Amino acid sequence: MKKTLVALAVAATAATAVSTANAATIYEQDGTKIELSGSLRLYLGRFADDQRGDLRDDGSRVIFKASHDLGNGLSGFAGYELRFDGGDDTTTNTFGNPDTRHLYAGFKHQDIGALSFGRQLLNIDDVLDDGAYANSAALYPVSTRDYKVVKFRSVEWNGLSFGLDYIFGDSNKNRSTTGNIFDQDGNHLTDLKNGYSASLFYNYDISDNQSLKLAATYLQRDYDDVRTTSTTAKERFWLAHAAYSYGPFYIAANYGQENNKSDYTGKVKTRYSLVDLSYQVIDPSRVYAQWERYETKTDKLQNQYLVGVDYKLHKNVITYVEYAHKRTKDWDDNGLVEPTTKKDNVYGVGLRVFF
């Protein structure tokens, strides 16, 4: 069972940091430890029917982690992650433009949990737990990280743990640099005021080769109108996750809803679903599939069907072949005309080298 879980964990594309088992200790003295890890992630393929084949960086990263033992089970820690091309722009990734993805510090108690401050992932990132590679969870509707976050993650008690996040907004109320609402000239009309999220996790080992994972999260972000500094937009999102593994077989289901309200666009409700399947054929290789759906009630429906196979050449080297079929149906003019449907076939081969 342990071998199967390790293989699945290494293969998971959603992982934002390499397992500490791969980290190299570059300094250790007087209770202080500094570790270096990361990965090179390449993807060669076609990303849409109207694009040429391309070679892209798929979120290559370098990670530094530091910790210092303060005694009595308490320690201080810090982390820094450097991404190339910011890790977000999938149309122009050209192995350049290094960007600070995460930068945080905090305190950890071995019997309570960890409290951290800075640019980092939210606890919500651990809820979805998708398991494909370059095209995994491509329709996921909300950001799972932020730039100014206070984050708490508890230790696990009998399989149960929880996480809390508080997100600080833009400090300048009258000059917006964020938000997703614009005027006719393209200027932002909203600033992030604040946000918070709460997540709950439960892991249960049914037997030596069976395990169950349950998770749920709720996220809220509020935005100000930069002209009046009153709340003008609200983002609400919740997600539930259930996963079951039996020997080499793994299945996970996710369902969530997003409810956004804005003085400019009114109420918008969306639904999100994702199902993951995988089977460890032999120790170094697994086959996997994923179905994903994102639906906005009035104007958009997206589906993605994905299949792939990976092969572990070495404990730190993974290759894979992946194919995804995407369908997007748009309703213009509030459903008064026939919808347009766009189909895209995305496929390619990938390489990930961990260090």
Side-chain angles (χ1 to χ4, degrees), residues 1 5 204-207 209-213 243-247:
M1 178 61 181
L5 290 178
Y204 178 64
D205 291 328
I206 301 171
S207 64
N209 64 345
Q210 293 185 77
S211 65
L212 177 69
K213 176 184 176 181
Y244 171 75
S245 62
Y246 180 77

Side-chain angles (χ1 to χ4, degrees), residues 57-180:
D57 170 65
D58 188 32
S60 298
R61 63 204 66 182
V62 177
I63 303 167
F64 291 92
K65 290 185 178 181
S67 63
H68 182 79
D69 186 3
L70 301 174
N72 298 318
L74 183 67
S75 61
F77 65 90
Y80 173 72
E81 181 177 321
L82 181 71
R83 291 276 186 102
F84 296 89
D85 278 326
D88 288 326
D89 189 350
T90 59
T91 63
T92 61
N93 281 0
T94 54
F95 310 95
N97 303 320
D99 174 76
T100 296
R101 182 76 164 193
H102 302 138
L103 180 62
Y104 58 88
F107 298 96
K108 180 179 181 179
H109 193 281
Q110 63 182 14
D111 298 324
I112 302 174
L115 180 67
S116 55
F117 308 83
R119 177 181 293 198
Q120 57 187 315
L121 290 168
L122 307 175
N123 284 288
I124 187 177
D125 186 74
D126 293 327
V127 175
L128 186 67
D129 199 24
D130 54 306
Y133 289 92
N135 304 292
S136 187
L139 307 180
Y140 195 54
V142 301
S143 174
T144 60
R145 64 186 180 97
D146 226 298
Y147 297 99
K148 294 181 285 185
V149 178
V150 179
K151 174 181 178 180
F152 175 76
R153 181 64 176 267
S154 76
V155 298
E156 192 173 289
W157 299 289
N158 297 318
L160 185 66
S161 63
F162 69 92
L164 300 171
D165 305 282
Y166 182 82
I167 306 166
F168 287 86
D170 298 309
S171 58
N172 191 327
K173 294 183 177 181
N174 299 314
R175 186 179 62 192
S176 178
T177 57
T178 63
N180 57 1

